[in-house]
Amino acid sequence: MKGVIAATLVALVTVLPTFGSPQKIDQLVYKNAALPRMVDDSTFLRRAYLKIVGRVPSYTEVEQFHKNPNRKQLIETLLNSEGFTNHLFNFWADKLRLKDKLSDNNGDLRGDAYIQWVRDSISKNKPYNKFVYELLSASGNYWENPATGYYLRDIGMQLDNTANTGKLFLGSDLSCAQCHDDPFDDWTQMDFYQLAAFTNSINMRQNDPKKENEIAKEAKKASGGKNGVDNKVKQLFRAATFGVKDNNKPLKLPHDYQYDDAKPHDIVSPRVPFGKNMVFSGSEREVFAKWVTTKNEMFAKNAVNRFWGWVFGAPLSAPSSDLISSPNQNKELIEHLSRELVRQNYDIKKFLSILYQSRAFSAEAFSGNIKDYKFDRPLVQRLSAEQIWDSVVTLYSENPDAPPNLKLNDIQDSMSYTLGELTGEEALKKAELFEKAKKEKFKEIPKERGFLMIRSAYINSPSKNFNLLKEFGRSDRVLISSPDLRSSVTQVLSTMNGDLSEIPLSKNSYLKKQLESTRAHGKRTDIVFMSILSRKPLSGKEKSLAYKDMKNNGGKGVVWALLNSKEFLYIK
């Protein structure tokens, strides 16, 4: 009898989904929905690469997978690759509005250090709660603690920064309450100002104008009186002296405050609008950062809602920036996912791995009317601008995910000095190094038809790449946003008549070298199809047309046709 009971218990453990398993997600997803069919290995491979590392797999990667089509192993390999870092960086770059010129309000402030800090945090798989805590509590000189870039991004607009924090990390859109009580939600203007009082009292410049002017004059003298030297040194100082420091200056209500609970210009004390008012030690910003990331249930719910949308194409609650007020498609699933993220100690890779291993992720994509979508599978989506470009880079480069040499150390070195010990001659050298490093940032990056042949994650300033990415819907990173996946006539003209279809067969491309490695036109046809669509030709007509073009035109026609096809431009 005991043996029967034991065997039954083993069977139950085997069948019933455990808390942190993909099967538990599927149980909640398909609670009121029929099980869809699973995609084949080739479709899954392409979907996994585009969704996890942000590009199509190379011909070699396609071959390797089909030798051992283990989906779980593939997911883990991709999650631990440099490609994943690039793809998740693009996600955060849109949300944190990352640019080479960090602030829209000050052209002297470089974004390089903040950008690298975000990239390093992703590469190290820093727990999500720690990542956010370090952003919200960051203090000190920008170049010594680049996480201060979160506040410096909105330099001079601290109330806007508070509104952005609510949207990005709490799924709470408080922006209306910045000017008046929200007519559609429970937020009051007092709620907004009480929340802003935690983070509003900071200085963002840590400079000594008198000393800086003295050194700039010394630098000009040391140069033999050259025109513009003093301004060049002052520009260095302006770029180097940003930071975040609490000043304990109280926040006051605006002059036009019109409600009965206070008067215009009254001092506002910090208070949270929901959740628990907890007592912590530390500065007001540290208290705020702990409240957001420690005992606030909206923090985890907002995160899993955004990550679900990133993986499947639509968040469970939309818009993501207003989780509290938005209709919730599966409350039980969001509750489960948020508990799971906390249980995983906010390990993003472990959490995403569970989503990618779910049956829902392997299901045939939904392409019908969005009103009929049951959130039980991925949506058919057009590739983002970043995915299109990074896939072209994959065709061109043997190792598309390899980190490029961007000479960031030179920019960092030019910012490192002690003002009281700096001579005019030393300041001039640092200013010249700073100017040179900015100009030569991409000096060692290969170019093709004017494009920098590196992944989109490294393109954060105006360039030919930048213009192409914008044309295909890349966020301008002025507001918290996601890529625009709508198609346009100019995009069609760009792919049909532009340089994109020429790059893969250019002299130095990896695809060109692979094609030159064999004289068999059938093999060459397979290489092109597997490199672009992650599959071999499916029909005799496909194969014969491609074979003929390969023989007579070196494959230019088939490459052009595949890059302009819906099969390439959409994730299914």
Side-chain angles (χ1 to χ4, degrees), residues 50-51 54 86-97 306 309-311 313-315 320 379-390 456-457 468-487 491 569 571:
L50 285 165
K51 285 291 189 177
N86 286 321
H87 190 43
L88 187 56
F89 174 85
N90 280 333
F91 170 85
W92 280 117
D94 287 347
K95 304 298 179 282
L96 296 171
R97 300 165 295 135
R306 285 188 181 277
W310 190 54
V311 171
S320 299
L379 285 172
V380 171
Q381 283 184 295
R382 200 210 78 191
L383 269 62
S384 68
E386 292 87 349
Q387 288 168 327
I388 292 172
W389 174 251
D390 291 344
S456 58
L468 178 76
L469 290 167
K470 282 182 66 178
E471 185 175 291
F472 279 87
R474 188 191 205 181
S475 165
D476 60 11
R477 298 178 183 171
V478 173
L479 303 174
I480 297 169
S481 60
S482 299
D484 184 350
L485 302 182
R486 293 174 296 180
S487 299
Q491 291 170 9
L569 292 170
I571 311 175

Short mmCIF file of all heavy atoms in Angstrom, two decimals, residues 50-51 54 86-97 306 309-311 313-315 320 379-390 456-457 468-487 491 569 571:
data_model
loop_
_atom_site.label_atom_id
_atom_site.label_comp_id
_atom_site.label_asym_id
_atom_site.label_seq_id
_atom_site.Cartn_x
_atom_site.Cartn_y
_atom_site.Cartn_z
N LEU A 50 15.50 35.92 -33.02
CA LEU A 50 15.02 37.30 -33.13
C LEU A 50 14.50 37.83 -31.80
O LEU A 50 14.68 39.01 -31.48
CB LEU A 50 13.92 37.37 -34.19
CG LEU A 50 14.42 37.30 -35.64
CD1 LEU A 50 13.28 37.01 -36.60
CD2 LEU A 50 15.14 38.59 -36.03
N LYS A 51 13.87 36.98 -30.99
CA LYS A 51 13.29 37.42 -29.73
C LYS A 51 14.30 37.47 -28.59
O LYS A 51 14.15 38.26 -27.66
CB LYS A 51 12.13 36.49 -29.34
CG LYS A 51 10.86 36.71 -30.14
CD LYS A 51 10.24 38.06 -29.79
CE LYS A 51 8.86 38.22 -30.40
NZ LYS A 51 8.23 39.49 -29.99
N GLY A 54 17.88 39.25 -30.92
CA GLY A 54 17.55 40.40 -31.76
C GLY A 54 18.05 40.34 -33.18
O GLY A 54 18.16 41.38 -33.84
N ASN A 86 23.04 42.71 -26.20
CA ASN A 86 22.72 43.74 -27.19
C ASN A 86 21.22 43.96 -27.32
O ASN A 86 20.74 45.10 -27.38
CB ASN A 86 23.29 43.33 -28.56
CG ASN A 86 24.79 43.49 -28.64
OD1 ASN A 86 25.35 44.44 -28.12
ND2 ASN A 86 25.46 42.55 -29.29
N HIS A 87 20.47 42.86 -27.36
CA HIS A 87 19.03 42.97 -27.57
C HIS A 87 18.33 43.58 -26.37
O HIS A 87 17.46 44.46 -26.51
CB HIS A 87 18.47 41.58 -27.88
CG HIS A 87 17.06 41.58 -28.35
ND1 HIS A 87 16.56 42.49 -29.27
CD2 HIS A 87 15.99 40.77 -28.04
CE1 HIS A 87 15.29 42.24 -29.51
NE2 HIS A 87 14.91 41.22 -28.77
N LEU A 88 18.68 43.13 -25.17
CA LEU A 88 18.06 43.70 -23.97
C LEU A 88 18.50 45.14 -23.77
O LEU A 88 17.74 45.96 -23.25
CB LEU A 88 18.40 42.85 -22.73
CG LEU A 88 17.68 43.24 -21.44
CD1 LEU A 88 16.16 43.22 -21.61
CD2 LEU A 88 18.08 42.32 -20.28
N PHE A 89 19.72 45.46 -24.20
CA PHE A 89 20.15 46.86 -24.12
C PHE A 89 19.23 47.75 -24.94
O PHE A 89 18.84 48.84 -24.49
CB PHE A 89 21.59 47.02 -24.62
CG PHE A 89 22.02 48.46 -24.69
CD1 PHE A 89 22.53 49.10 -23.58
CD2 PHE A 89 21.86 49.19 -25.86
CE1 PHE A 89 22.90 50.45 -23.64
CE2 PHE A 89 22.21 50.54 -25.93
CZ PHE A 89 22.73 51.16 -24.81
N ASN A 90 18.86 47.32 -26.15
CA ASN A 90 17.95 48.13 -26.97
C ASN A 90 16.61 48.34 -26.27
O ASN A 90 16.01 49.41 -26.36
CB ASN A 90 17.74 47.46 -28.33
CG ASN A 90 18.88 47.73 -29.29
OD1 ASN A 90 19.56 48.74 -29.20
ND2 ASN A 90 19.11 46.81 -30.21
N PHE A 91 16.13 47.30 -25.58
CA PHE A 91 14.89 47.42 -24.81
C PHE A 91 15.03 48.52 -23.76
O PHE A 91 14.19 49.42 -23.66
CB PHE A 91 14.59 46.07 -24.14
CG PHE A 91 13.47 46.11 -23.13
CD1 PHE A 91 12.15 45.98 -23.53
CD2 PHE A 91 13.73 46.26 -21.77
CE1 PHE A 91 11.11 46.00 -22.60
CE2 PHE A 91 12.70 46.28 -20.83
CZ PHE A 91 11.40 46.16 -21.26
N TRP A 92 16.12 48.47 -22.99
CA TRP A 92 16.31 49.47 -21.93
C TRP A 92 16.67 50.84 -22.48
O TRP A 92 16.34 51.87 -21.89
CB TRP A 92 17.36 49.00 -20.93
CG TRP A 92 16.82 48.01 -19.95
CD1 TRP A 92 17.19 46.72 -19.76
CD2 TRP A 92 15.76 48.25 -19.01
NE1 TRP A 92 16.43 46.12 -18.78
CE2 TRP A 92 15.55 47.05 -18.30
CE3 TRP A 92 14.97 49.35 -18.70
CZ2 TRP A 92 14.58 46.93 -17.31
CZ3 TRP A 92 14.00 49.24 -17.72
CH2 TRP A 92 13.81 48.04 -17.03
N ALA A 93 17.36 50.87 -23.61
CA ALA A 93 17.73 52.16 -24.20
C ALA A 93 16.48 52.96 -24.57
O ALA A 93 16.44 54.18 -24.40
CB ALA A 93 18.60 51.94 -25.43
N ASP A 94 15.44 52.27 -25.06
CA ASP A 94 14.19 52.96 -25.37
C ASP A 94 13.47 53.41 -24.10
O ASP A 94 12.85 54.48 -24.07
CB ASP A 94 13.26 52.03 -26.17
CG ASP A 94 13.72 51.85 -27.61
OD1 ASP A 94 14.60 52.62 -28.06
OD2 ASP A 94 13.21 50.94 -28.28
N LYS A 95 13.52 52.58 -23.07
CA LYS A 95 12.80 52.92 -21.83
C LYS A 95 13.53 54.02 -21.04
O LYS A 95 12.90 54.92 -20.48
CB LYS A 95 12.65 51.67 -20.95
CG LYS A 95 11.95 50.49 -21.62
CD LYS A 95 10.53 50.85 -22.03
CE LYS A 95 9.83 49.69 -22.73
NZ LYS A 95 10.24 49.53 -24.13
N LEU A 96 14.87 53.95 -21.01
CA LEU A 96 15.65 54.94 -20.25
C LEU A 96 16.04 56.14 -21.12
O LEU A 96 16.67 57.06 -20.63
CB LEU A 96 16.90 54.29 -19.67
CG LEU A 96 16.66 53.18 -18.64
CD1 LEU A 96 17.96 52.46 -18.31
CD2 LEU A 96 16.05 53.75 -17.36
N ARG A 97 15.69 56.08 -22.41
CA ARG A 97 15.91 57.18 -23.36
C ARG A 97 17.41 57.51 -23.48
O ARG A 97 17.84 58.65 -23.32
CB ARG A 97 15.10 58.41 -22.94
CG ARG A 97 13.61 58.17 -22.91
CD ARG A 97 12.86 59.26 -22.17
NE ARG A 97 13.21 59.26 -20.77
CZ ARG A 97 13.49 60.36 -20.08
NH1 ARG A 97 13.44 61.55 -20.66
NH2 ARG A 97 13.81 60.28 -18.81
N ARG A 306 5.82 44.26 -18.61
CA ARG A 306 6.66 44.77 -19.69
C ARG A 306 7.44 43.63 -20.37
O ARG A 306 7.57 43.58 -21.59
CB ARG A 306 7.64 45.82 -19.16
CG ARG A 306 6.97 47.16 -18.86
CD ARG A 306 7.99 48.23 -18.52
NE ARG A 306 7.37 49.50 -18.22
CZ ARG A 306 6.98 50.39 -19.13
NH1 ARG A 306 7.15 50.12 -20.42
NH2 ARG A 306 6.43 51.53 -18.77
N GLY A 309 5.23 41.55 -22.62
CA GLY A 309 5.00 42.26 -23.87
C GLY A 309 6.21 42.20 -24.79
O GLY A 309 6.06 42.09 -26.02
N TRP A 310 7.40 42.25 -24.23
CA TRP A 310 8.64 42.19 -25.02
C TRP A 310 8.78 40.82 -25.68
O TRP A 310 9.19 40.71 -26.84
CB TRP A 310 9.81 42.47 -24.10
CG TRP A 310 11.14 42.67 -24.78
CD1 TRP A 310 11.42 43.55 -25.78
CD2 TRP A 310 12.36 41.98 -24.49
NE1 TRP A 310 12.76 43.46 -26.13
CE2 TRP A 310 13.35 42.51 -25.34
CE3 TRP A 310 12.73 40.99 -23.58
CZ2 TRP A 310 14.68 42.07 -25.32
CZ3 TRP A 310 14.05 40.56 -23.55
CH2 TRP A 310 15.00 41.09 -24.41
N VAL A 311 8.42 39.76 -24.96
CA VAL A 311 8.57 38.40 -25.46
C VAL A 311 7.45 38.02 -26.44
O VAL A 311 7.71 37.46 -27.50
CB VAL A 311 8.61 37.39 -24.30
CG1 VAL A 311 8.55 35.95 -24.80
CG2 VAL A 311 9.88 37.59 -23.46
N GLY A 313 4.87 40.15 -27.71
CA GLY A 313 4.39 41.16 -28.66
C GLY A 313 3.30 42.06 -28.13
O GLY A 313 2.99 43.08 -28.74
N ALA A 314 2.71 41.72 -26.99
CA ALA A 314 1.68 42.56 -26.37
C ALA A 314 1.68 42.33 -24.87
O ALA A 314 1.70 41.17 -24.42
CB ALA A 314 0.30 42.24 -26.95
N PRO A 315 1.68 43.40 -24.06
CA PRO A 315 1.64 43.21 -22.60
C PRO A 315 0.29 42.67 -22.17
O PRO A 315 -0.72 42.85 -22.85
CB PRO A 315 1.88 44.63 -22.07
CG PRO A 315 1.37 45.52 -23.16
CD PRO A 315 1.67 44.81 -24.45
N SER A 320 1.47 49.74 -20.86
CA SER A 320 2.37 49.29 -19.80
C SER A 320 2.65 50.39 -18.78
O SER A 320 2.96 50.11 -17.63
CB SER A 320 3.70 48.82 -20.41
OG SER A 320 3.50 47.75 -21.28
N LEU A 379 2.40 37.22 -30.99
CA LEU A 379 1.77 37.90 -32.12
C LEU A 379 2.72 37.87 -33.31
O LEU A 379 3.94 37.94 -33.15
CB LEU A 379 1.49 39.36 -31.78
CG LEU A 379 0.32 39.68 -30.85
CD1 LEU A 379 0.35 41.16 -30.49
CD2 LEU A 379 -1.00 39.31 -31.49
N VAL A 380 2.16 37.77 -34.52
CA VAL A 380 2.98 38.01 -35.71
C VAL A 380 3.38 39.48 -35.69
O VAL A 380 2.53 40.36 -35.54
CB VAL A 380 2.19 37.69 -37.00
CG1 VAL A 380 2.98 38.15 -38.24
CG2 VAL A 380 1.90 36.20 -37.10
N GLN A 381 4.68 39.75 -35.80
CA GLN A 381 5.17 41.13 -35.71
C GLN A 381 6.15 41.43 -36.84
O GLN A 381 6.93 40.55 -37.24
CB GLN A 381 5.91 41.35 -34.39
CG GLN A 381 5.04 41.52 -33.18
CD GLN A 381 5.92 41.83 -31.97
OE1 GLN A 381 6.72 41.01 -31.54
NE2 GLN A 381 5.76 43.01 -31.40
N ARG A 382 6.12 42.68 -37.30
CA ARG A 382 7.18 43.12 -38.20
C ARG A 382 8.46 43.25 -37.39
O ARG A 382 8.42 43.62 -36.20
CB ARG A 382 6.83 44.46 -38.81
CG ARG A 382 7.61 44.78 -40.10
CD ARG A 382 7.81 46.28 -40.27
NE ARG A 382 8.87 46.76 -39.41
CZ ARG A 382 9.12 48.04 -39.20
NH1 ARG A 382 8.37 48.97 -39.75
NH2 ARG A 382 10.12 48.42 -38.40
N LEU A 383 9.58 42.92 -38.00
CA LEU A 383 10.85 43.12 -37.31
C LEU A 383 11.01 44.59 -36.94
O LEU A 383 10.60 45.48 -37.69
CB LEU A 383 12.02 42.69 -38.20
CG LEU A 383 12.50 41.24 -38.10
CD1 LEU A 383 11.40 40.28 -38.50
CD2 LEU A 383 13.73 41.02 -38.99
N SER A 384 11.59 44.84 -35.80
CA SER A 384 11.90 46.22 -35.43
C SER A 384 13.06 46.72 -36.29
O SER A 384 13.75 45.93 -36.96
CB SER A 384 12.30 46.30 -33.96
OG SER A 384 13.55 45.64 -33.74
N ALA A 385 13.27 48.02 -36.27
CA ALA A 385 14.40 48.60 -37.02
C ALA A 385 15.71 47.95 -36.60
O ALA A 385 16.57 47.63 -37.44
CB ALA A 385 14.45 50.10 -36.77
N GLU A 386 15.85 47.73 -35.29
CA GLU A 386 17.08 47.14 -34.77
C GLU A 386 17.24 45.70 -35.25
O GLU A 386 18.36 45.27 -35.60
CB GLU A 386 17.07 47.18 -33.24
CG GLU A 386 17.16 48.57 -32.64
CD GLU A 386 15.81 49.27 -32.48
OE1 GLU A 386 14.82 48.75 -33.03
OE2 GLU A 386 15.75 50.31 -31.82
N GLN A 387 16.16 44.93 -35.26
CA GLN A 387 16.24 43.53 -35.71
C GLN A 387 16.58 43.44 -37.20
O GLN A 387 17.32 42.55 -37.62
CB GLN A 387 14.93 42.81 -35.41
CG GLN A 387 14.72 42.54 -33.93
CD GLN A 387 13.30 42.09 -33.62
OE1 GLN A 387 12.34 42.51 -34.27
NE2 GLN A 387 13.15 41.23 -32.63
N ILE A 388 16.03 44.35 -38.00
CA ILE A 388 16.34 44.37 -39.43
C ILE A 388 17.83 44.64 -39.64
O ILE A 388 18.53 43.91 -40.35
CB ILE A 388 15.49 45.41 -40.16
CG1 ILE A 388 14.02 45.00 -40.17
CG2 ILE A 388 15.99 45.61 -41.61
CD1 ILE A 388 13.08 46.07 -40.70
N TRP A 389 18.31 45.72 -39.01
CA TRP A 389 19.71 46.09 -39.21
C TRP A 389 20.65 45.01 -38.65
O TRP A 389 21.64 44.63 -39.31
CB TRP A 389 20.03 47.43 -38.57
CG TRP A 389 21.50 47.73 -38.65
CD1 TRP A 389 22.41 47.74 -37.63
CD2 TRP A 389 22.25 47.99 -39.84
NE1 TRP A 389 23.67 48.00 -38.10
CE2 TRP A 389 23.60 48.16 -39.47
CE3 TRP A 389 21.90 48.09 -41.19
CZ2 TRP A 389 24.61 48.43 -40.39
CZ3 TRP A 389 22.92 48.36 -42.12
CH2 TRP A 389 24.24 48.52 -41.72
N ASP A 390 20.37 44.51 -37.46
CA ASP A 390 21.25 43.52 -36.85
C ASP A 390 21.27 42.21 -37.64
O ASP A 390 22.27 41.48 -37.63
CB ASP A 390 20.84 43.26 -35.39
CG ASP A 390 21.12 44.46 -34.50
OD1 ASP A 390 21.88 45.34 -34.91
OD2 ASP A 390 20.57 44.52 -33.38
N SER A 456 23.07 47.54 -33.77
CA SER A 456 22.33 48.78 -33.48
C SER A 456 22.50 49.24 -32.05
O SER A 456 22.36 50.43 -31.76
CB SER A 456 20.84 48.57 -33.79
OG SER A 456 20.33 47.49 -33.01
N ALA A 457 22.80 48.33 -31.15
CA ALA A 457 22.94 48.70 -29.73
C ALA A 457 24.07 49.70 -29.51
O ALA A 457 24.10 50.39 -28.48
CB ALA A 457 23.19 47.44 -28.88
N LEU A 468 18.76 55.37 -40.90
CA LEU A 468 18.06 54.19 -41.38
C LEU A 468 17.19 53.59 -40.27
O LEU A 468 16.03 53.22 -40.50
CB LEU A 468 19.07 53.13 -41.85
CG LEU A 468 18.46 51.82 -42.33
CD1 LEU A 468 17.86 52.00 -43.72
CD2 LEU A 468 19.50 50.70 -42.35
N LEU A 469 17.73 53.53 -39.06
CA LEU A 469 16.98 52.99 -37.93
C LEU A 469 15.73 53.83 -37.65
O LEU A 469 14.65 53.29 -37.38
CB LEU A 469 17.87 52.93 -36.68
CG LEU A 469 19.00 51.88 -36.73
CD1 LEU A 469 20.00 52.14 -35.60
CD2 LEU A 469 18.44 50.48 -36.62
N LYS A 470 15.88 55.14 -37.72
CA LYS A 470 14.72 56.02 -37.52
C LYS A 470 13.67 55.80 -38.59
O LYS A 470 12.46 55.80 -38.32
CB LYS A 470 15.17 57.49 -37.51
CG LYS A 470 15.83 57.94 -36.21
CD LYS A 470 16.22 59.41 -36.25
CE LYS A 470 15.01 60.30 -36.33
NZ LYS A 470 15.38 61.73 -36.33
N GLU A 471 14.12 55.60 -39.83
CA GLU A 471 13.18 55.39 -40.94
C GLU A 471 12.33 54.14 -40.71
O GLU A 471 11.16 54.10 -41.08
CB GLU A 471 13.97 55.27 -42.24
CG GLU A 471 13.12 55.16 -43.48
CD GLU A 471 13.97 55.16 -44.74
OE1 GLU A 471 14.57 56.21 -45.04
OE2 GLU A 471 14.02 54.11 -45.39
N PHE A 472 12.92 53.13 -40.07
CA PHE A 472 12.20 51.89 -39.83
C PHE A 472 11.55 51.85 -38.44
O PHE A 472 11.13 50.78 -38.00
CB PHE A 472 13.13 50.69 -40.02
CG PHE A 472 13.30 50.30 -41.46
CD1 PHE A 472 14.28 50.90 -42.24
CD2 PHE A 472 12.45 49.38 -42.05
CE1 PHE A 472 14.43 50.57 -43.58
CE2 PHE A 472 12.59 49.04 -43.39
CZ PHE A 472 13.59 49.63 -44.15
N GLY A 473 11.45 52.99 -37.79
CA GLY A 473 10.63 53.08 -36.59
C GLY A 473 11.36 53.03 -35.27
O GLY A 473 10.73 52.83 -34.23
N ARG A 474 12.67 53.22 -35.26
CA ARG A 474 13.36 53.25 -33.98
C ARG A 474 12.89 54.43 -33.16
O ARG A 474 12.64 55.52 -33.68
CB ARG A 474 14.87 53.37 -34.18
CG ARG A 474 15.65 53.21 -32.87
CD ARG A 474 17.10 53.60 -33.04
NE ARG A 474 17.94 52.93 -32.05
CZ ARG A 474 19.24 53.10 -31.96
NH1 ARG A 474 19.86 53.91 -32.78
NH2 ARG A 474 19.93 52.45 -31.05
N SER A 475 12.75 54.23 -31.86
CA SER A 475 12.34 55.31 -30.97
C SER A 475 13.34 56.46 -31.03
O SER A 475 14.55 56.23 -31.12
CB SER A 475 12.25 54.78 -29.54
OG SER A 475 12.19 55.84 -28.61
N ASP A 476 12.84 57.70 -30.96
CA ASP A 476 13.75 58.85 -30.90
C ASP A 476 14.27 59.06 -29.48
O ASP A 476 15.10 59.91 -29.23
CB ASP A 476 13.08 60.12 -31.42
CG ASP A 476 11.83 60.49 -30.63
OD1 ASP A 476 11.57 59.91 -29.55
OD2 ASP A 476 11.08 61.37 -31.09
N ARG A 477 13.75 58.29 -28.54
CA ARG A 477 14.20 58.29 -27.14
C ARG A 477 14.04 59.65 -26.47
O ARG A 477 14.80 60.03 -25.58
CB ARG A 477 15.65 57.80 -27.03
CG ARG A 477 15.77 56.35 -27.51
CD ARG A 477 17.17 55.80 -27.49
NE ARG A 477 17.18 54.44 -28.03
CZ ARG A 477 18.27 53.74 -28.30
NH1 ARG A 477 19.45 54.29 -28.09
NH2 ARG A 477 18.19 52.52 -28.78
N VAL A 478 13.04 60.38 -26.91
CA VAL A 478 12.65 61.61 -26.21
C VAL A 478 11.68 61.24 -25.09
O VAL A 478 11.75 61.78 -23.99
CB VAL A 478 12.01 62.61 -27.19
CG1 VAL A 478 11.45 63.81 -26.44
CG2 VAL A 478 13.03 63.06 -28.23
N LEU A 479 10.77 60.31 -25.39
CA LEU A 479 9.81 59.81 -24.41
C LEU A 479 10.06 58.33 -24.18
O LEU A 479 10.69 57.65 -24.99
CB LEU A 479 8.37 60.02 -24.90
CG LEU A 479 7.96 61.45 -25.25
CD1 LEU A 479 6.56 61.44 -25.87
CD2 LEU A 479 7.99 62.33 -24.01
N ILE A 480 9.57 57.80 -23.05
CA ILE A 480 9.62 56.36 -22.81
C ILE A 480 8.77 55.69 -23.88
O ILE A 480 7.59 56.01 -24.04
CB ILE A 480 9.06 56.02 -21.41
CG1 ILE A 480 9.91 56.66 -20.32
CG2 ILE A 480 9.00 54.51 -21.20
CD1 ILE A 480 9.28 56.58 -18.94
N SER A 481 9.37 54.79 -24.64
CA SER A 481 8.62 54.24 -25.77
C SER A 481 9.16 52.89 -26.18
O SER A 481 10.14 52.39 -25.64
CB SER A 481 8.68 55.21 -26.96
OG SER A 481 10.02 55.41 -27.36
N SER A 482 8.51 52.32 -27.19
CA SER A 482 8.93 51.08 -27.81
C SER A 482 9.07 51.35 -29.31
O SER A 482 8.60 52.38 -29.81
CB SER A 482 7.88 49.99 -27.57
OG SER A 482 7.74 49.73 -26.19
N PRO A 483 9.71 50.44 -30.05
CA PRO A 483 9.85 50.66 -31.49
C PRO A 483 8.49 50.77 -32.18
O PRO A 483 7.52 50.14 -31.78
CB PRO A 483 10.60 49.42 -31.96
CG PRO A 483 11.26 48.86 -30.75
CD PRO A 483 10.38 49.21 -29.60
N ASP A 484 8.43 51.58 -33.22
CA ASP A 484 7.23 51.70 -34.05
C ASP A 484 7.33 50.64 -35.15
O ASP A 484 8.21 50.69 -36.01
CB ASP A 484 7.18 53.10 -34.67
CG ASP A 484 5.90 53.34 -35.47
OD1 ASP A 484 5.16 52.36 -35.70
OD2 ASP A 484 5.65 54.49 -35.86
N LEU A 485 6.43 49.65 -35.12
CA LEU A 485 6.49 48.52 -36.05
C LEU A 485 5.58 48.69 -37.26
O LEU A 485 5.39 47.75 -38.03
CB LEU A 485 6.15 47.22 -35.31
CG LEU A 485 7.03 46.90 -34.10
CD1 LEU A 485 6.63 45.57 -33.49
CD2 LEU A 485 8.51 46.89 -34.49
N ARG A 486 5.04 49.88 -37.44
CA ARG A 486 4.20 50.12 -38.61
C ARG A 486 5.07 50.23 -39.87
O ARG A 486 6.17 50.77 -39.83
CB ARG A 486 3.39 51.40 -38.42
CG ARG A 486 2.34 51.31 -37.32
CD ARG A 486 1.67 52.64 -37.09
NE ARG A 486 2.63 53.64 -36.61
CZ ARG A 486 2.31 54.90 -36.31
NH1 ARG A 486 1.07 55.32 -36.48
NH2 ARG A 486 3.23 55.74 -35.88
N SER A 487 4.53 49.73 -40.98
CA SER A 487 5.26 49.79 -42.25
C SER A 487 4.91 51.07 -42.99
O SER A 487 3.87 51.70 -42.72
CB SER A 487 4.90 48.58 -43.11
OG SER A 487 5.27 47.38 -42.47
N GLN A 491 9.90 52.89 -46.24
CA GLN A 491 10.62 51.68 -45.83
C GLN A 491 10.73 50.71 -47.00
O GLN A 491 11.79 50.12 -47.23
CB GLN A 491 9.90 51.01 -44.66
CG GLN A 491 9.96 51.80 -43.36
CD GLN A 491 9.02 51.22 -42.30
OE1 GLN A 491 8.45 50.16 -42.47
NE2 GLN A 491 8.85 51.95 -41.20
N LEU A 569 10.78 39.93 -43.17
CA LEU A 569 10.46 41.15 -42.43
C LEU A 569 9.50 40.93 -41.26
O LEU A 569 9.23 41.87 -40.51
CB LEU A 569 9.89 42.19 -43.38
CG LEU A 569 10.88 42.75 -44.42
CD1 LEU A 569 10.17 43.58 -45.45
CD2 LEU A 569 11.98 43.56 -43.73
N ILE A 571 8.19 38.29 -37.88
CA ILE A 571 8.44 37.16 -36.98
C ILE A 571 7.14 36.38 -36.88
O ILE A 571 6.11 36.93 -36.50
CB ILE A 571 8.85 37.62 -35.57
CG1 ILE A 571 9.97 38.65 -35.62
CG2 ILE A 571 9.27 36.43 -34.71
CD1 ILE A 571 10.33 39.22 -34.26
#
